[in-house]
Amino acid sequence: MWWFSGVPWGLAFGGGEPHSFYQVSSQQGNRRSPCGPKTPRPHSAPGDSSLPPEHRQVGFRGPRQVRLLQRLKTKPLMTEFLVKSTIISRYAFTTVSCRMLNRASEDQEIEFQMPLPAAAFITNFTMLIGDKVYQGEIREREKKTGDKVKEKRNKTSEDDGEKGTETFRASVVIPSKDKAAFLLSYEELLQRRLGKYEHVISVRPQQLVGRLTVEVNVLERSGITSLEVLRLQHSRQKGSVRGEGDSELPPSTVINQNDTFAKIIFKPSVVQQAKIAQNGILGDFIVRYDVNREQSIGDIQVLNGYFVHYFAPKDLPPLPKNVVFVLDSSASMVGTKLRQTKDALFTILHDLRPQDHFNIIGFSNRIKVWKDHLVSVTPDNVRDGKVYIHHMSPSGGTDINGALQRAIRLLTDYVAHDDVGDRSVSLVIFLTDGKPTVGETHTLRILNNTREAARGQICIFTIGIGNDVDFKLLEKLSLENCGLTRHVLEEDDAGSQLVGFYDEIRTPLLSDIRIDYPPAAVERVTRTLFPNYFNGSEIVIAGKLAHRTVERLHVEVTASNSKKFVVLKADVPVEPPEAGNDEAGSARPEGGGAGDPNHVQRLWSYLSTKELLSAWLHSSDERDKERLRQKAQALAVASRFLTPVTSMHLKRSGLQTDKPEDAQSMSAAAGPEPVMQSLRGASPQPGPALKKPYNPRIKVSKTSVDGDPHFVVDFPLSNLTVCFNIDGQPGDILRLVSDHADSGVTVNGELIGAPAPPGGHKKQRTYFRTITILANKPERSYLEITPSRVILDGGDRLVLPCNRSAVVGRRGLEVSVSANANVTVTIQGTIAFVVLIHLYKKPAPYQRDHLGFYISSSRGLSSSCHGLLGQFLSRDATLTQEPAGLSEGPGRPPLPRAGDGPETVLKVRGHQVPVVRKQRRIYNGEEQVDCWFARSNAAGLLDGEYRDYLAAHPFDSETAFGLGASGGL
């Protein structure tokens, strides 16, 4: 764990610091801006007697233009809004960064807001106020809490409302002319609906932003299919957006994709933002995709002692449905709601299959049943059903209990007395816009009555319309009776929502699904019994392997389909744990042990927490309820999930230096650009404390890559230095050091493009904008280094701005940041890398802030290390004066200039390559070295071809070469 010293959340700071009040909450369905101003209390009302005398003002009525200018002048400026998501096997890690500048001449309260998916768990929140850092910490919530940071969720079901959101808020007072940055991270498991996964990111800054970027990375081992980016969705902000066409990508959206990896970037300019919405409410950025499915048993992934099983069979005949539609026809449904609902039911009735059976109930203070039994789907029955629905009129109160009891009795009688030859699924689709007002109105008794009547044989799907509906009651009704729920807001189209909801459950393929694993082989498995499987959805199970040495995992699926009983069996190979990580992942996340971080473990924690919260919410036994609460709380704290049983406290971090001097330096302090985020529970064991920052002097070898990019390789035994260039493409990720199998170290670099200088021979320049390092031993740690920040994930995620000196260390890994100069990474004391930071105050068009990578110590890297630089380590090189075959004389050969004398040939790793002498400057131009230059992108010098050094994603540890590969081009 990365440790910091600080002060508790919610305290006011003295000593010349602003007295700040922070409040964080989450609220359902709000779609306001991520960042925005709040009127400072001293200016709330001129002459308001409720204010102290020194804050009272005399009313002044100036010209309208002056008042408008004052408002515009004092409005906080959002300088940056960044969102970055990484989806690994359906599990999404998302980080949001927002930076604000208070341009006013007085202190101002600013509110950060971010709509989140209702199913997501917040895992981190950090604020940077001027030069001070406040970091969130997840703690247990007392039963009676007065915490300033609260998670007010009213959705805890496994399936939250379609496009349901909850808004995270934090407010803070920013001193005049100062800056603030907000950093929020959350995680979620993407749910499959109608055959697609959907990842939704709210882009509503509520003002035009100079730097607005949304980046989504998708990594799916089984392969990506049908990936698409939808046009910006803004149905809940009608009238604020001028659409640009339903079928077009959002402007400036770029998609790069291969079989298993996709990178989507949405980066609109200010002009493009203004064309979408001048008020800055751009809408929802939505990525949809599906994955390849080859095995009927499903996709099973095992990583470091944890497994996840995705089960989504296809090409099965549908099961017959027995469905009762229960429609609220009370007085509150008058007008548009009832009309839209009727239209939707007309569409649904047309969609019923001939083997289905159905009935219709309208209810208010009376229960009105269309038929006294379920009827088959025939043209006449469908027509008569439509007529019955058409003549429904709103009146009276709302007898929810009576309507449900009547619907369940209809289904029970039909299944019990009619000759149902086929296996079938019995469903109630229940729609209301209110609370129970007639008959039984006590919530617990309604729930108990429904549960006892349904007896687990009938699934209840509920839809709540509007703001007055008792959605918690509907949610519990569905949860306790194997159904799903949806919440339709007042401004939404209830008809289209109802049709869309029905589409998800219109085709049941399996019922009574049971998924079994050998009891001795697994433990802590999430639920394995499911009443139904609907086409286009997915069943997800996760658990922990009891023994990490097991080679195969036996899986058995039993279910009912149409007229037959389905049994699927398979023995799934289990990948052995990586060398040096025998203990990794063995610790349980509940205890927060030092387990190896991985997305499968995070997914298991997510599902387990959801199930415990659901069981806690619906338990009626007080002793059992308390046990479930404590268990959910312990897991949520260990996993750093903000839930109804945990709270967030903000602590002052010890990471603090001098205040940035200019606005540009804010970029290093403000936000994340994480590719990976925290992938395991926080360890309660104290780690090393934050050390006193210092400015280390760089002492490295010449082996490096820097600039555009220029590679230098030092051979100290031969007193030779070799150099070469690589002309890559922007966006390419190059493998620099690949030693994952032995030392566990991988280094990759991502290129960024720039125009070539005028008069040059190149068409473009490329630089390294990101260096990523994966250190797999003694524990897995991820590092992402950019010119503005360093992101570390060794289980506890940490963001270090590059404009502040700092040193952090943890169990064999040390990272030292020298402000705006370099970052030194030391692994187990035997491997050291130095990353130089190149910044430009006034860059020319062909210049970009970029990084240089230097190998300081390679003692811990193996002899089979590869990569553009790694393949030359632990090697020797010689020179000859003839193109081939001559032995080298003693000592170092002369260094002829290009074009002088015979051609010089370099011999290294079995290659013979013509070279010429050049000079290169390294270490920011502080040192000049003589080197032998290999032309043509080092053709003949490197193993393989350029494409062999391209990584699929920033933390890709695979290599195109076997151990000791030495074949040339």
Side-chain angles (χ1 to χ4, degrees), residues 380-628:
D380 290 343
N381 285 338
V382 170
R383 183 195 62 229
D384 293 345
K386 286 184 176 182
V387 172
Y388 178 78
I389 293 171
H390 176 73
H391 287 101
M392 281 186 181
S393 58
S395 64
T398 309
D399 187 359
I400 290 178
N401 183 73
L404 285 170
Q405 293 297 310
R406 189 71 182 95
I408 293 171
R409 192 158 55 248
L410 281 170
L411 288 167
T412 303
D413 292 345
Y414 173 74
V415 173
H417 300 107
D418 288 68
D419 183 16
V420 183
D422 292 339
R423 298 178 185 273
S424 60
V425 173
S426 295
L427 313 174
V428 173
I429 297 180
F430 182 88
L431 185 146
T432 183
D433 73 334
K435 301 176 176 66
T437 60
V438 177
E440 181 59 71
T441 59
H442 192 273
T443 297
L444 288 180
R445 283 196 285 269
I446 294 174
L447 292 170
N448 290 335
N449 293 342
T450 305
R451 186 170 54 249
E452 291 173 3
R455 293 177 299 176
Q457 304 300 312
I458 296 170
C459 296
I460 299 176
F461 297 83
T462 60
I463 300 158
I465 300 178
N467 301 324
D468 298 326
V469 69
D470 188 348
F471 188 73
K472 288 187 177 181
L473 171 60
L474 299 185
E475 188 176 47
K476 291 180 180 180
L477 283 169
S478 293
L479 259 176
E480 295 182 359
N481 298 280
C482 63
L484 306 174
T485 187
R486 289 289 183 274
H487 190 190
V488 181
L489 300 183
E490 292 282 2
E491 64 268 26
D492 289 340
D493 183 346
S496 62
Q497 294 281 321
L498 178 55
V499 172
F501 185 39
Y502 175 77
D503 284 343
E504 294 183 32
I505 60 176
R506 66 187 291 267
T507 310
L509 298 182
L510 294 173
S511 64
D512 302 322
I513 304 114
R514 179 187 181 97
I515 302 178
D516 290 310
Y517 313 91
V522 297
E523 58 187 20
R524 291 179 174 82
V525 181
T526 57
R527 74 173 180 131
T528 57
L529 300 176
F530 303 88
N532 300 301
Y533 167 74
F534 296 96
N535 188 39
S537 64
E538 184 173 59
I539 291 173
V540 184
I541 308 102
K544 187 175 184 296
L545 297 178
H547 307 285
R548 297 193 62 196
T549 56
V550 66
E551 295 181 354
R552 305 186 76 83
L553 178 64
H554 180 75
V555 182
E556 186 170 318
V557 179
T558 58
S560 298
N561 167 248
S562 191
K563 295 182 179 181
K564 58 185 179 180
F565 196 65
V566 177
V567 179
L568 302 173
K569 298 181 181 180
D571 289 320
V572 181
V574 175
E575 298 177 2
E578 297 170 1
N581 279 311
D582 295 336
E583 300 300 323
S586 60
R588 299 169 185 172
E590 295 101 317
D596 191 21
N598 65 76
H599 68 279
V600 179
Q601 180 179 347
R602 294 298 290 174
L603 191 155
W604 172 85
S605 300
Y606 175 92
L607 285 179
S608 298
T609 303
K610 286 279 185 181
E611 291 182 6
L612 286 169
L613 289 173
S614 176
W616 165 69
L617 181 65
H618 301 109
S619 175
S620 56
D621 181 85
E622 287 302 321
R623 181 175 297 178
D624 184 60
K625 195 177 184 74
E626 177 61 18
R627 179 186 63 83
L628 290 168

Side-chain angles (χ1 to χ4, degrees), residues 6-18:
V7 294
W9 162 272
L11 295 182
F13 303 101
E17 298 179 4

Side-chain angles (χ1 to χ4, degrees), residues 693-699 805-807 816-819 821-824:
Y694 74 104
N695 191 353
R697 183 178 178 183
I698 304 175
K699 294 182 179 180
S805 296
V807 181
S816 170
V817 180
S818 180
N822 60 77
V823 178
T824 303

Side-chain angles (χ1 to χ4, degrees), residues 925-944:
E926 295 176 4
E927 182 173 336
Q928 180 173 292
V929 297
D930 292 318
C931 62
W932 292 98
F933 179 72
R935 299 186 179 94
S936 303
N937 268 2
L941 176 64
L942 300 173
D943 289 336

